[in-house]
């Protein structure tokens, strides 16, 4: 059990009236249930202590890929950090082979909201499939995440709006039709510095859910 002292300012109630507050509160609860300090969680997830502290207090939001690293460190699924999604119940989905899924446009997609970002999952679960395709709406403003790396690969294609995509400390402005594809172990982060919503098709590996 990690018993190192907590950094100052990590205590106090979290405002759970916002999506970021809900996620932050659950990270703190699952972390304390495992007897981990922020330092211990930072070491396991690859994220900084300061960033995790801000996320737990609802000051900063956390992207799904970063949350995936936190979930793995806490032996949880990413879905555990959100309220029930709006996807089609499993009983309404026809059984399909392990290597194949079919998602119709009229089928309600599960959505997850974390701070400025809304993630719409674009496919059902396939046990033998490794890609996680998502439609991501990124609202303007918010705090910039700390660039970090994680296992897998990541692809982003801008449909509308503009996006700043930082890779290894270098910022690249992506406009509609632009895309980026990288090995996710390279430190990276994205940010919407405009005054309009940016919409991106994102595909990451491994699957988050």
């Amino acid at each position: 059990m990690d018993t190192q002292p907590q950094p100052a300012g990590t205590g106090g109630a979290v405002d759970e009236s916002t999506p970021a507050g809900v996620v932050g509160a659950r990270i703190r609860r699952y972390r304390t249930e495992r007897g981990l300090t922020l330092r211990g969680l930072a070491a396991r997830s690859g994220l900084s202590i300061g960033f995790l502290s801000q996320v737990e207090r609802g000051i900063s939001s956390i992207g799904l890929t970063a949350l995936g690293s936190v979930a793995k460190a806490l032996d949880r699924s990413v879905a555990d950090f959100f309220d029930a999604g709006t996807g089609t119940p499993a009983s309404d989905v026809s059984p399909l082979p392990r290597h194949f899924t079919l998602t119709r446009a009229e089928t309600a997609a599960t959505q997850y909201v974390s701070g400025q970002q809304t993630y719409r999952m674009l496919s059902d679960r396939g046990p033998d499939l490794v890609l996680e395709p998502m439609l991501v709406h990124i609202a303007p403003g918010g705090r910039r995440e700390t660039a970090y790396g994680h296992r897998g690969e990541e692809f982003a294609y801008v449909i509308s709006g503009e996006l700043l995509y930082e890779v290894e400390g270098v910022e690249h402005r992506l406009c509609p039709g632009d895309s980026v594809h990288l090995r996710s172990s390279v430190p990276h982060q994205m940010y919407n510095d405009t005054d309009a919503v940016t919409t991106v098709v994102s595909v990451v590996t491994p699957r988050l859910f």
Side-chain angles (χ1 to χ4, degrees), residues 21-162:
V22 170
V23 172
R26 292 184 185 182
I27 291 176
R28 174 181 289 182
R29 183 167 79 245
Y30 299 148
R31 173 177 63 78
T32 55
E33 286 175 355
R34 293 188 61 82
L36 282 173
T37 62
L38 280 172
R39 186 181 302 279
L41 180 57
R44 292 188 178 197
S45 66
L47 300 168
S48 71
I49 297 174
F51 175 65
L52 288 171
S53 174
Q54 291 180 339
V55 171
E56 285 196 357
R57 290 179 288 160
I59 297 174
S60 290
S61 60
I62 184 170
L64 275 193
T65 50
L67 184 58
S69 297
V70 171
K72 181 177 175 61
L74 296 174
D75 294 324
R76 290 276 180 171
S77 73
V78 173
D80 288 340
F81 297 87
F82 297 93
D83 292 325
T86 57
T88 302
S91 59
D92 293 341
V93 179
S94 300
L96 290 171
R98 293 172 59 88
H99 60 275
F100 173 72
T101 70
L102 177 62
T103 305
R104 298 292 189 184
E106 63 271 15
T107 302
T110 301
Q111 291 196 155
Y112 299 94
V113 179
S114 179
Q116 306 302 110
Q117 301 181 19
T118 300
Y119 302 85
R120 178 180 176 183
M121 316 315 289
L122 295 180
S123 74
D124 292 320
R125 305 303 87 190
D128 290 339
L129 302 178
V130 298
L131 298 180
E132 186 77 88
M134 302 172 285
L135 186 67
V136 187
H137 300 288
I138 308 166
R143 289 176 177 262
R144 297 185 66 154
E145 295 181 19
T146 301
Y148 86 108
H150 54 88
R151 65 193 180 102
E153 291 186 37
E154 190 163 325
F155 171 84
Y157 175 87
V158 179
I159 295 178
S160 64
E162 297 181 6

Side-chain angles (χ1 to χ4, degrees), residues 179-198:
S179 64
V180 60
H181 183 188
L182 67 148
R183 190 170 296 281
S184 302
S185 57
V186 175
H188 61 281
Q189 64 96 11
M190 59 183 181
Y191 181 70
N192 180 1
D193 66 342
T194 72
D195 57 3
V197 174
T198 297

